[in-house]
Amino acid sequence: MPTAKEGVLAQIASVKSSNSREHMESTVRSFLASYARKDVDTRIGLFADDIHFVDLIGVEPMVGKPMLEKFFRDTIAYGFDIEMNPERIVIIEDEALSVTRAACLPR
């Protein structure tokens, strides 16, 4: 009988990616870089229309591009400069995780 870890690894191995590792990493880097450039159009363009987005700063989850775009634009309008620097990007098939050092500085 496989261990829990072996079971999880087998499930991960069975998922086939439709995107290359390079594409996935490039997308994560583009998303993070868009903060310093205040490039909401690029950032919002990376999401599906029915996005469910949870920001860890304590706001309510956002559903749909219009709500998410408003959040991104409001953040800029409130006068914050945000830098997102990835320390590690982990890609597993069609999923990406970014361990990111973030800095939010008032202008």
Side-chain angles (χ1 to χ4, degrees):
M1 180 159 193
T3 66
K5 179 179 177 181
E6 291 168 336
V8 168
L9 291 175
Q11 284 180 328
I12 290 170
S14 71
V15 175
K16 299 302 175 209
S17 177
S18 59
N19 295 299
S20 72
R21 179 177 200 80
E22 293 76 20
H23 173 77
M24 296 287 289
E25 185 169 336
S26 173
T27 300
V28 170
R29 289 187 185 283
S30 179
F31 172 75
L32 296 174
S34 73
Y35 281 87
R37 293 188 317 266
K38 296 177 178 47
D39 185 355
V40 174
D41 293 331
T42 293
R43 193 177 326 152
I44 201 72
L46 296 170
F47 294 97
D49 291 338
D50 61 348
I51 179 70
H52 285 76
F53 188 87
V54 178
D55 194 295
L56 300 179
I57 65 167
V59 298
E60 293 294 317
M62 292 158 271
V63 179
K65 271 186 170 180
M67 183 181 269
L68 185 58
E69 182 174 4
K70 181 181 180 331
F71 171 72
F72 289 150
R73 292 195 189 282
D74 285 351
T75 301
I76 294 168
Y78 291 143
F80 290 103
D81 288 330
I82 300 173
E83 294 179 10
M84 305 287 253
N85 298 301
E87 294 184 349
R88 183 170 184 201
I89 297 173
V90 178
I91 309 291
I92 301 175
E93 300 302 335
D94 279 342
E95 301 290 329
L97 168 73
S98 174
V99 178
T100 303
R101 182 175 306 274
C104 182
L105 309 166
R107 276 187 246 144

